[in-house]
């Protein structure tokens, strides 16, 4: 809302053409920020229902949110969100958005489109290499020192250009980097958070990529009792993500129909109290749709009997994994070091062993001697 005081009615009338433009721009900006906030809340609801990472430990260390991944039982598609391990709402948001920037653009495409109708002149999908991370969310492998650091990946988001020419970054998955607001002026985003731009594509490109992936991995053969065929566990997760994203779209359409609306523009322009009431009602409707569908799939046995009842039993370790676990435990007892320190020392020794073997290998090639195995070296 733009409030201006005038010295007289004549001055107010004279300034009206300019004031009208400023007032309209301010109203559009407020609606855009509300839309971004609602999109973020809907995505977090969606991610919680389709959560597919089994974490056994969550800790903050040296500016990193470390997520230790557990071992999955065969057939696990989705697992319960680890509420008991999460300390703060901001940590929760970071975990739910870890490596999900592409999911926002692909699975939430239709919902974003409906939320922003009437507010934008142009929408574009950007892929960038980020910088100035406030924190990073890192997944640590349960069977070794491998890590999955969100900073090493490209980051995808949406650029929104308004009819006035103002531009904003809609960055729903930015919490994994320590940025928790879903929208920021585009110039500020480029200056503070972007090292360089990797790609620019029209809005909807990511959704088309997802559809191609679905077509490649999912087939429906009507000749064999109409059975659905899905290639592999990753493809199954992909397929059910598509099903749940369709649920977001369907439930939001039902809500609009119930309210007698074609899109969300009218809702976004309500007074703050009225808007919050409508937003809560919409999100409640979406949440019920998603959880009802999840419960149906669990009842049908499509998501596994263990879903929603805590982590499934871990599969037995292989002989090699048992030996490694015994070696780690023995060195831990002998040195008093932590598991992380023991593994790091083991990796250094392995690297030194490999370097030694390569050196002997090069020497033997020159002298014509037998090339030993790395175990003998």
């Amino acid at each position: 809302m733009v409030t201006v005081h005038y010295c007289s009615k004549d001055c107010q009338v004279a300034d009206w053409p300019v004031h009208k433009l400023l007032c309209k721009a301010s109203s559009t900006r407020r609606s855009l920020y509300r839309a971004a906030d609602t999109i973020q809340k809907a995505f977090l609801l969606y991610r919680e229902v389709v959560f597919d990472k089994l974490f056994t430990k969550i800790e903050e260390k040296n500016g990193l949110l470390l997520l230790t991944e557990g071992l999955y039982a065969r057939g696990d598609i989705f697992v319960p969100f680890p509420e008991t391990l999460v300390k703060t709402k901001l940590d929760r948001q970071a975990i739910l958005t870890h490596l999900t920037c592409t999911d926002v653009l692909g699975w939430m495409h239709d919902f974003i489109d409906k939320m922003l109708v009437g507010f934008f002149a142009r929408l574009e999908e950007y892929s960038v290499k980020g910088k100035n991370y406030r924190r990073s969310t890192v997944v640590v492998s349960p069977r070794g020192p491998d890590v999955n650091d969100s900073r090493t990946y490209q980051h995808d988001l949406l650029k929104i250009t308004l009819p006035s020419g103002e531009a904003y970054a809609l960055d729903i998955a930015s919490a994994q980097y320590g940025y928790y607001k879903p929208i920021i002026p585009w110039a500020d985003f480029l200056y503070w958070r972007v090292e360089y731009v990797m790609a620019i594509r029209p809005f909807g490109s990511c959704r088309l990529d997802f559809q191609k992936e679905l077509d490649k991995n999912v087939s429906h053969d009507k000749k064999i009792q109409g059975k659905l065929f899905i290639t592999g566990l990753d493809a199954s997760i992909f397929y059910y993500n598509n099903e749940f994203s369709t649920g977001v779209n369907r439930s939001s359409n039902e809500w609009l129909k119930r309210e007698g609306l074609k899109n969300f523009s009218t809702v976004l322009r309500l007074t703050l109290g009225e808007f919050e009431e409508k937003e809560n009602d919409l999100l409640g409707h979406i949440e019920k749709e998603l959880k009802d569908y999840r419960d149906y799939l669990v009842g049908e046995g499509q998501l596994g009997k263990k879903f929603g009842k805590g982590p499934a039993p871990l599969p037995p370790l292989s002989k090699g994994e048992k030996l490694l676990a015994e070696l780690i435990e023995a060195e831990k007892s002998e040195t008093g070091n932590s598991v992380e320190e023991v593994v790091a020392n083991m990796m250094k020794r392995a690297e030194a062993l490999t370097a030694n073997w390569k050196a002997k290998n090069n020497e033997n090639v020159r002298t014509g001697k037998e090339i030993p195995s790395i175990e003998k070296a």
Side-chain angles (χ1 to χ4, degrees):
M1 181 68 68
V2 179
T3 302
V4 180
H5 298 280
Y6 296 97
C7 58
S8 67
K9 187 174 182 180
D10 291 340
C11 286
Q12 182 179 4
V13 172
D15 188 55
W16 173 243
V18 175
H19 179 80
K20 181 170 65 173
L21 294 176
L22 292 174
C23 195
K24 183 177 180 181
S26 176
S27 176
T28 300
R29 197 178 303 119
R30 181 187 63 187
S31 297
L32 178 63
Y33 273 69
R34 285 180 173 181
D37 192 55
T38 304
I39 292 168
Q40 183 186 61
K41 290 174 181 176
F43 180 69
L44 294 176
L45 278 176
Y46 157 79
R47 274 296 300 153
E48 183 178 350
V49 173
V50 299
F51 199 70
D52 55 2
K53 301 296 182 184
L54 177 60
F55 296 130
T56 58
K57 183 180 179 182
I58 298 174
E59 61 180 336
E60 179 84 24
K61 195 172 184 179
N62 299 325
L64 301 177
L65 182 62
L66 298 177
L67 315 175
T68 302
E69 196 168 12
L71 304 178
Y72 297 85
R74 290 183 180 178
D76 277 353
I77 295 180
F78 301 124
V79 298
F81 183 77
E83 291 285 3
T84 57
L85 301 179
V86 180
K87 295 179 180 178
T88 70
K89 289 183 179 180
L90 298 183
D91 286 353
R92 187 177 189 278
Q93 192 174 332
I95 295 166
L96 286 170
T97 57
H98 180 252
L99 300 184
T100 63
C101 57
T102 308
D103 291 354
V104 173
L105 299 180
W107 301 131
M108 299 296 288
H109 170 273
D110 293 346
F111 186 71
I112 291 173
D113 193 35
K114 284 198 295 288
M115 288 297 301
L116 298 180
V117 164
F119 294 109
F120 65 88
R122 187 169 66 254
L123 295 178
E124 298 165 297
E125 295 178 6
Y126 269 67
S127 298
V128 303
K129 177 66 175 68
K131 65 178 183 180
N132 294 331
Y133 305 105
R134 290 180 176 173
R135 79 188 302 191
S136 184
T137 307
V138 179
V139 173
V140 182
S141 170
R143 289 181 170 174
D146 295 338
V147 298
N148 204 343
D149 189 336
S150 57
R151 294 172 297 183
T152 62
Y153 294 86
Q154 75 177 40
H155 185 60
D156 299 327
L157 67 144
L158 199 62
K159 179 183 179 182
I160 305 172
T161 304
L162 304 182
S164 64
E166 292 179 69
Y168 294 86
L170 182 66
D171 195 0
I172 300 299
S174 60
Q176 61 186 310
Y177 306 117
Y179 296 98
Y180 303 99
K181 298 295 183 182
I183 191 165
I184 179 176
W186 184 253
D188 293 342
F189 177 78
L190 284 181
Y191 183 80
W192 292 108
R193 300 194 203 173
V194 178
E195 185 174 335
Y196 56 86
V197 175
M198 303 173 69
I200 306 173
R201 302 197 298 172
F203 180 52
S205 298
C206 192
R207 177 59 186 165
L208 288 176
D209 291 343
F210 279 19
Q211 189 58 55
K212 290 176 183 177
E213 191 70 19
L214 283 167
D215 293 341
K216 182 175 68 174
N217 291 298
V218 180
S219 62
H220 195 274
D221 191 344
K222 295 181 179 178
K223 294 181 181 179
I224 309 179
Q225 300 178 351
K227 186 176 181 181
L228 182 72
F229 292 92
I230 306 175
T231 309
L233 179 60
D234 288 342
S236 296
I237 293 173
F238 205 79
Y239 168 78
Y240 283 113
N241 267 277
N242 180 64
E243 291 293 290
F244 280 103
S245 72
T246 301
V248 173
N249 192 42
R250 180 173 56 247
S251 59
S252 59
N253 282 336
E254 290 172 352
W255 188 86
L256 285 171
K257 185 177 180 181
R258 191 190 73 188
E259 297 293 318
L261 302 171
K262 292 183 178 180
N263 54 57
F264 292 100
S265 59
T266 302
V267 176
L268 295 170
R269 291 191 173 98
L270 294 172
T271 63
L272 179 59
E274 292 173 326
F275 167 72
E276 289 178 342
E277 182 180 347
K278 293 292 185 183
E279 181 190 50
N280 289 334
D281 188 41
L282 168 66
L283 294 173
H285 194 75
I286 292 174
E287 183 177 22
K288 184 178 185 305
E289 167 82 18
L290 296 179
K291 289 185 175 180
D292 283 351
Y293 182 55
R294 181 193 64 187
D295 293 343
Y296 163 76
L297 293 176
V298 172
E300 292 292 309
Q302 295 187 46
L303 294 183
K305 295 180 180 179
K306 293 291 181 183
F307 183 84
K309 298 182 180 179
L314 298 180
L317 296 177
S318 66
K319 290 183 179 179
E321 289 167 343
K322 286 181 179 178
L323 176 60
L324 179 59
E326 290 170 0
L327 290 173
I328 290 174
E329 187 59 35
E331 185 167 333
K332 180 183 173 185
S333 299
E334 182 179 341
T335 63
N337 291 333
S338 66
V339 173
E340 291 81 2
E341 291 170 330
V342 170
V343 171
N345 290 333
M346 286 178 134
M347 291 296 295
K348 288 178 181 178
R349 293 198 295 271
E351 290 170 0
L353 177 63
T354 303
N356 182 44
W357 176 80
K358 286 181 178 179
K360 287 186 177 181
N361 183 23
N362 291 335
E363 181 183 348
N364 290 335
V365 169
R366 286 194 302 271
T367 59
K369 295 181 179 179
E370 178 186 359
I371 299 175
S373 67
I374 191 168
E375 290 83 0
K376 291 180 180 180

